[in-house]
Amino acid sequence: MAAGDLAAAAGTAPHPNRSPARSAAAVERGRLNLSWLVQLHWWAILGQATIVVGAQSWTHFGLPMGTLVAVMVLEVIGNIVLGAWARRAEVTDRDIALVMLIDAVVLTVLLDLTGGASNPFSTLYLVNVALAAVLLPSAWSWLLMAASLTGFASLFVHEHFAGVSHHIRTHMDHAQTMAAHLRGMWVAFALAAVFVVFFVQRVTRALAAREGELQAARSQALRREKLASLATLAAGAAHELSTPLSTIAVVAKELQRAIPADASSELHDDLQLVRDQVARCREILDRMAAHAGENVGEPFAQMRARDWVDAALDGFRWPQRVEVRIDPSAQAAALVGPQRGLAEALRGLLKNAVQASPPDAQVTLLVTAPPGRIQVTVRDRGRGMTPDVLSRVGEPFFTTKVPGEGMGLGLFLTRALAEQLGGEFNITSTPGDGTEARIELPVSTAGERSSP
């Protein structure tokens, strides 16, 4: 994976209609908040219609039905337009605040037409205030609270000067009015409580889920940065150390030739040890460079799941210890990616599983094809890992193997490759019950053979 490719993958292309000052997280959060407001509007309109129809049918209030129906029709049209706009626009806090201000105005109009300040459903102002506190920054929340207080206060003013609710009260004596008002207060409180708890909880959960997705995206970008740094480190180390290692190898070889034949055998052994260790250092550097940049210049190509397994087993030291199971649904499934990189990743998982299992135990390679995906699972028969060790698996240069058997890069690079191809890599383990490593990649479509 080239450092340039990783940097491009880690970055986020700007939306053509997005202000550079706003992040993707803020845009997505605004759109999500507005979608919940649209849903709340539909429930509110349904509640308004139910209450108006019930009051008109079972009481003698004499409501202005024509005006109320016209207001609710306008609410329906406005909410349809708002829902269509929310799916395309870049929603800001100001937009949401404006919508909620309009909601406060509409509620004030409805209350004014149905009893004014004495209408017990004035409690619903609190729904707007509660949602503003959850969805909006502090300044907008206080503004919405002030708007709600102003709307409620205007009902008293209008009632005082125009006698708006007089035609309602004249049909009922004081006892009837108080009884109806108390019952209405209970219904209004119940509706307000349900709306607040239900929608605030759902909005909070949705925002938490979105934050989790954004955190996962940030973690993925961080891993890509580490991979780019690793490629640079490996290339620099190989370049800087190649000359001194070559010099040491040449000098050791010349010394080995120059010493007399009757010299101590220990001297010959020491010089041979020096040459062997130099060769090992070169091998380690070559392996680091190859792993860290294993997909550089390698084109993406389509390959079947069966071919992927065969490529991983080709050259594998212990093929007799691998039990291959390919589900019939996965026989014809294919994926797109760097063939050599995919084979190396799967071969590395098989090697880890064999090394973790007892000498006489087999490991299982299972290939399945869930809808739209190819899933490869490698299970060992080892001792498993503790939660502390499992939490660090996949970090660069972290390994549980004995020195000389691994550098702790294989799992890190496997995860990076899976994420680059739009898939996932997961490891689960239970102490005493072995470890399971799983690569899941998207199935390719016909003719999909493009390079990255």
Side-chain angles (χ1 to χ4, degrees):
M1 297 173 204
D5 294 339
L6 289 167
T12 302
H15 191 280
N17 298 323
R18 181 177 302 163
S19 170
R22 298 196 73 216
S23 66
V27 171
E28 186 64 23
R29 184 167 56 250
R31 187 176 291 114
L32 180 65
N33 290 344
L34 190 56
S35 70
W36 284 111
L37 275 181
V38 171
Q39 293 187 41
L40 176 60
H41 287 169
W42 290 123
W43 285 102
I45 293 170
L46 177 62
Q48 292 165 12
T50 302
I51 293 170
V52 169
V53 171
Q56 183 68 15
S57 303
W58 301 322
T59 66
H60 304 284
F61 285 170
L63 300 177
M65 291 299 296
T67 306
L68 289 173
V69 170
V71 172
M72 285 186 285
V73 169
L74 289 176
E75 284 187 89
V76 171
I77 296 174
N79 207 41
I80 293 173
V81 173
L82 181 63
W85 176 78
R87 289 190 290 270
R88 299 190 306 269
E90 178 182 319
V91 182
T92 65
D93 291 334
R94 181 182 59 184
D95 299 327
I96 295 175
L98 179 61
V99 171
M100 298 185 75
L101 281 171
I102 295 175
D103 291 343
V105 172
V106 171
L107 178 59
T108 302
V109 171
L110 290 172
L111 292 174
D112 187 61
L113 293 171
T114 56
S118 61
N119 190 324
F121 289 95
S122 56
T123 308
L124 296 178
Y125 277 117
L126 291 176
V127 175
N128 220 32
V129 174
L131 287 178
V134 173
L135 302 181
L136 296 173
S138 176
W140 289 115
S141 300
W142 285 105
L143 177 62
L144 261 297
M145 187 202 70
S148 298
L149 290 175
T150 302
F152 198 0
S154 69
L155 297 177
F156 290 96
V157 175
H158 192 203
E159 180 177 335
H160 176 74
F161 287 101
V164 174
S165 61
H166 177 71
H167 66 284
I168 294 177
R169 290 197 298 266
T170 54
H171 292 84
M172 305 172 67
D173 58 27
H174 180 73
Q176 291 177 316
T177 301
M178 285 303 300
H181 183 77
L182 292 175
R183 287 193 293 269
M185 285 181 61
W186 186 91
V187 174
F189 176 81
L191 288 175
V194 168
F195 276 124
V196 169
V197 173
F198 181 72
F199 280 95
V200 169
Q201 286 294 321
R202 292 195 67 176
V203 169
T204 302
R205 286 197 299 268
L207 290 176
R210 181 62 60 189
E211 289 297 327
E213 293 175 3
L214 293 174
Q215 181 60 40
R218 284 192 289 267
S219 298
Q220 182 176 344
L222 180 59
R223 285 194 292 271
R224 288 174 174 171
E225 291 177 5
K226 288 182 178 179
L227 185 60
S229 301
L230 179 61
T232 303
L233 174 64
H239 176 74
E240 294 294 332
L241 294 177
S242 60
T243 299
L245 287 175
S246 298
T247 301
I248 294 172
V250 170
V251 170
K253 185 176 181 180
E254 292 300 322
L255 286 174
Q256 201 171 23
R257 289 177 178 176
I259 61 175
D262 58 349
S264 170
S265 61
E266 293 182 359
L267 183 58
H268 285 278
D269 294 342
D270 289 344
L271 290 174
Q272 185 60 45
L273 179 61
V274 171
R275 295 183 64 185
D276 291 343
Q277 293 302 309
V278 168
R280 184 185 173 194
C281 289
R282 281 179 169 174
E283 180 184 351
I284 291 174
L285 288 173
D286 291 341
R287 202 162 65 215
M288 284 179 59
H291 282 313
E294 63 183 359
N295 298 322
V296 176
E298 184 181 1
F300 280 20
Q302 192 176 72
M303 65 187 305
R304 295 183 307 162
R306 174 80 253 187
D307 297 333
W308 183 16
V309 172
D310 292 340
L313 292 174
D314 185 24
F316 187 61
R317 290 176 55 188
W318 309 280
Q320 71 282 0
R321 295 186 57 186
V322 180
E323 179 187 2
V324 179
R325 301 178 187 173
I326 301 181
D327 191 88
S329 62
Q331 291 286 351
L335 67 156
V336 168
Q339 295 187 359
R340 181 170 58 85
L342 286 169
E344 286 288 342
L346 183 53
R347 190 180 299 121
L349 295 182
L350 291 172
K351 179 182 177 183
N352 290 343
V354 168
Q355 291 178 338
S357 301
D360 57 344
Q362 282 195 314
V363 301
T364 302
L365 173 58
L366 175 64
V367 184
T368 57
R373 313 287 279 182
I374 291 180
Q375 185 172 284
V376 175
T377 305
V378 178
R379 299 172 183 158
D380 66 34
R381 301 292 186 274
R383 296 176 299 176
M385 292 180 282
T386 64
D388 291 339
V389 173
L390 186 61
S391 66
R392 295 196 59 193
V393 166
E395 294 181 8
F397 301 108
F398 174 78
T399 179
T400 58
K401 298 179 181 179
V402 298
E405 287 192 1
M407 297 179 292
L409 295 177
L411 298 181
F412 171 74
L413 296 170
T414 298
R415 175 175 277 113
L417 176 60
E419 291 175 347
Q420 181 192 11
L421 299 179
E424 298 178 356
F425 174 67
N426 296 293
I427 296 180
T428 57
S429 183
T430 303
D433 197 28
T435 300
E436 184 175 284
R438 182 182 300 110
I439 301 176
E440 187 174 299
L441 299 174
V443 172
S444 70
T445 57
E448 185 181 0
R449 300 177 63 89
S450 60
S451 297

